[in-house]
Amino acid sequence: MVLNNETARKTAELLLQINAIKLNVQEPFTWASGWKSPIYCDNRVILSYPAIRNYMREHLAKAVEDLYGKPDVIAGVATGAIGIGMLVADYLNLPFIYVRPEAKKHGRQNQIEGHLESGQQVVVIEDLISTGKSSLNAVTALKEAQVNVKGMLAIFSYGFDTATTNFEDAGVDLKTLSNYEHLIKEAQSSNYVSTAHTETLKNWRKNPSTWEPNK
């Protein structure tokens, strides 16, 4: 799923460097799904660091061209991937749109914001993949607009089996700059986390929906 191991390692290093990865084993985060997690990945903070956002922009843009050629449009998934998606589109000199989780309740009631024509080739940019449901919801909206979704590129994935299954079932090609496996390796090698906490993070990854912290 990752583009290559060196990019995955470097991306993990940069995310740790700017504290985009938050770790709290004793007082875990609660996700929107209700899952308890000792880790939280906030890729929005990337936009505040020009050198690092440029690294992400250039590697995502290169991957778009290498994997899919030059599409007609770049789509970002709202709200986390609007910023990085726009940067990728700008780098490639392509039109940009973004996809809301659902249609607005007012105004034009759009779910897709921006100019899009049926039959166009679209590559989707996402910041983070957990189960993949919200990302694939955006793909569904794009397909309903009668465009060809060539694939999706994301900065980071937790690598859950359910996400792999969801993307395979939807027939959507997914590639990421980095993932959980590379993140944990980099966090341990850089002493970002202790050996004991590394084991906790590995155990959480095995059963994230039922994991509870040891008080």
Side-chain angles (χ1 to χ4, degrees):
M1 185 181 290
V2 296
L3 294 171
N4 62 70
N5 288 332
E6 176 52 28
T7 299
R9 185 204 66 76
K10 183 63 176 179
T11 299
E13 175 190 320
L14 294 174
L15 292 176
L16 292 168
Q17 179 182 316
I18 60 175
N19 293 316
I21 306 297
K22 307 294 184 183
L23 301 173
N24 195 329
V25 174
Q26 297 304 318
E27 297 294 334
F29 305 95
T30 301
W31 288 2
S33 62
W35 290 7
K36 300 291 185 182
S37 172
I39 182 172
Y40 185 83
C41 184
D42 182 8
N43 288 333
R44 292 173 179 84
V45 74
I46 289 169
L47 300 176
S48 298
Y49 296 86
I52 293 173
R53 77 179 181 223
N54 286 341
Y55 175 90
M56 305 297 176
R57 176 193 66 172
E58 290 168 17
H59 280 74
L60 287 169
K62 183 177 185 300
V64 169
E65 293 187 309
D66 289 348
L67 293 169
Y68 310 115
K70 199 153 188 177
D72 298 307
V73 179
I74 296 294
V77 181
T79 58
I82 292 177
I84 192 67
M86 178 60 200
L87 288 170
V88 171
D90 187 62
Y91 189 86
L92 294 171
N93 195 31
L94 289 173
F96 176 74
I97 62 173
Y98 68 87
V99 187
R100 298 175 181 274
E102 60 183 9
K104 287 194 300 184
K105 304 298 184 185
H106 58 280
R108 296 174 61 199
Q109 300 181 339
N110 292 337
Q111 182 171 6
I112 299 173
E113 298 287 3
H115 180 71
L116 185 65
E117 298 178 7
S118 63
Q120 287 188 307
Q121 309 290 311
V122 179
V123 173
V124 183
I125 302 297
E126 181 63 288
D127 70 323
L128 175 70
I129 305 293
S130 53
T131 65
K133 288 184 178 179
S134 60
S135 305
L136 291 171
N137 179 59
V139 172
T140 297
L142 290 166
K143 289 183 175 179
E144 289 174 351
Q146 299 181 331
V147 299
N148 179 18
V149 178
K150 303 192 75 174
M152 182 180 295
L153 288 161
I155 295 172
F156 181 82
S157 170
Y158 287 103
F160 297 139
D161 291 339
T162 185
T164 300
T165 300
N166 287 339
F167 275 90
E168 288 177 351
D169 289 347
V172 177
D173 182 54
L174 172 67
K175 296 292 188 296
T176 67
L177 296 186
S178 193
N179 63 10
Y180 193 75
E181 178 185 356
H182 285 87
L183 175 70
I184 297 306
K185 286 181 180 177
E186 187 62 26
Q188 187 172 24
S189 66
S190 63
N191 295 317
Y192 193 87
V193 294
S194 66
T195 300
H197 284 178
T198 299
E199 290 305 310
T200 298
L201 291 167
K202 289 180 178 178
N203 289 334
W204 168 80
R205 174 63 183 73
K206 293 175 184 176
N207 295 292
S209 64
T210 59
W211 180 85
E212 291 288 342
N214 294 320
K215 299 291 187 179

